[in-house]
Amino acid sequence: METEATAKSSNPREHARAAASLEFRDVSKRYPGNDEPALRDLSFEVAAGEICVLVGPSGCGKTTAMRMVNRMIDITEGDILLDGESVRSRPPAELRRHIGYVIQQIGLFPHVSVGDNIATVPRLLGWDRRRVEARVDELLELISLPSETRERYPAEISGGQRQRVGVARALAADPPLMLMDEPFGAIDPITRERLQNEFLRLQEDIRKTIVFVTHDIDEAIKMGDRIAIMREGGVLVQYDTPDRILADPKDEFVAQFVGLDRGLKRLALSKLGDLSLQAAECLPDGTPVRGHADHHRVVFVDDRRHPVGRLGEDGEPEPVGPVGKPDTSLRDALSLIMSDANRPLVVVDADGAVAGLARVDVIASALAVGNGGHAAREDAAR
Ligand code: ADP
Ligand code: MG
């Protein structure tokens, strides 16, 4: 015990216990006194280490589905399996100590310090004092909270910090599964985006299996490895990767839900680094050029091949304008091109040297891969 406690390092990877796989198998839920089921025959599988987002309009059963996993709500029919084992085979209290649970805002105990909030589950599990202290230190570091916040009360830190503490508390005993119910729902849009990004970075390290509930399709697309789109009446309509859902919504409901701008949303998922670029003709800065057949392809470069100018239609040098990078999203690339009189975008590599050009038509063709899916079949049937 002692050796385990003292051997803890600050590297979360060394902690990571195997994440659990999760399966919903024909799960239905009927609340007493209600004829209509809240969930109907819900079936889907989440691979270990993946984020599954349950998304849909209010009242479609997202919270119900999530709370059945840790048995806060009883399953009426069907079963939920964690690593192949029914959640019903374990006492609820024991089960919950191995499932992290994050909800919006109110989750923290108000009269308990940040450090003691985070220590809740490890103490319940009977960890010794030194091990608990070490884990709290490590988690504060992991969520980038200054160590002095440890002694503060939840009301004495910001909303964003409270939400981070909620995540740290859920992670404290290193659970193989995390349930997150609209965790960033009550937070202003800027902090929310920061927390989303932080959480995705954290997940790269901890690789937990996560069930994440939101009513916001953009958040679902951003956070999910897979998305379960649910509709009123507790029906699962489509379970797929964000790209597949945007490329090929299964029916009118999903198409409406993801929005008319689904093409643009899909562009946001791909990066310039994924695109086959058109070759640029790189010339040393100051090279005179006359009567070039394709002036857009010419990029003037310095001795490190960094772009310093373009060739105008009139044969005169022009400013280089916006430049894309391998991690620039196709959506941002499109926007840069539009703001630059539709000139093909100069793309540089990680060192800033010219890698090639991205043309509007090549970006548009990146969207064409989804053809032949549900929408095309519906069109064909008309
Ligand atoms: P969501 O999280 O997607 O907004 P919920 O899972 O909270 O949806 O609710 C799904 C449906 O079940 C709703 O119609 C809701 O009114 C009903 N419901 C939720 N909790 C209860 C309950 N304790 N008793 C009766 N009906 C409930
Ligand atoms: Mg809910």
Side-chain angles (χ1 to χ4, degrees), residues 76-237:
T76 309
E77 269 168 52
D79 207 354
I80 298 175
L81 310 177
L82 255 185
D83 272 341
E85 193 192 335
S86 171
V87 295
R88 302 201 225 216
S89 67
R90 291 159 74 176
E94 194 268 336
L95 180 72
R96 276 172 221 154
R97 282 174 204 160
H98 299 281
I99 299 178
Y101 187 58
V102 186
I103 53 177
Q104 59 177 248
Q105 247 182 9
I106 339 138
L108 300 180
F109 304 120
H111 305 300
V112 171
S113 72
V114 162
D116 287 340
N117 261 287
I118 295 176
T120 307
V121 176
R123 283 187 185 139
L124 280 173
L125 290 171
W127 292 16
D128 66 71
R129 216 175 65 84
R130 281 166 59 191
R131 186 176 172 201
V132 172
E133 297 298 300
R135 182 64 173 151
V136 171
D137 285 338
E138 179 184 47
L139 284 159
L140 285 172
E141 195 184 312
L142 197 66
I143 58 169
S144 317
L145 275 200
S147 52
E148 64 265 22
T149 46
R150 187 184 175 130
E151 305 305 328
R152 301 225 175 111
Y153 290 97
E156 298 170 337
I157 59 177
S158 73
Q161 289 178 328
R162 274 198 292 276
Q163 206 52 44
R164 291 185 186 92
V165 173
V167 170
R169 189 178 62 173
L171 281 171
D174 204 15
L177 176 71
M178 296 263 285
L179 306 178
M180 305 179 78
D181 195 347
E182 312 233 9
F184 310 135
I187 289 179
D188 70 87
I190 293 169
T191 310
R192 183 182 203 196
E193 179 160 8
R194 208 163 64 218
L195 289 172
Q196 290 169 341
N197 294 338
E198 272 175 24
F199 187 76
L200 287 174
R201 268 199 304 277
L202 183 63
Q203 168 68 352
E204 300 244 306
D205 273 338
I206 59 179
R207 292 270 167 214
K208 296 292 175 194
T209 309
I210 293 164
V211 180
F212 189 109
V213 162
T214 179
H215 60 270
D216 174 355
I217 185 65
D218 293 316
E219 183 168 64
I221 291 166
K222 177 167 185 177
M223 303 303 288
D225 294 307
R226 266 167 213 282
I227 303 179
I229 299 201
M230 297 169 63
R231 65 180 299 171
E232 298 86 349
V235 178
L236 175 63
V237 189

Side-chain angles (χ1 to χ4, degrees), residues 58-59 61-64 181-182 213:
S58 179
K62 306 180 293 292
T63 296
T64 299
D181 195 347
E182 312 233 9
V213 162

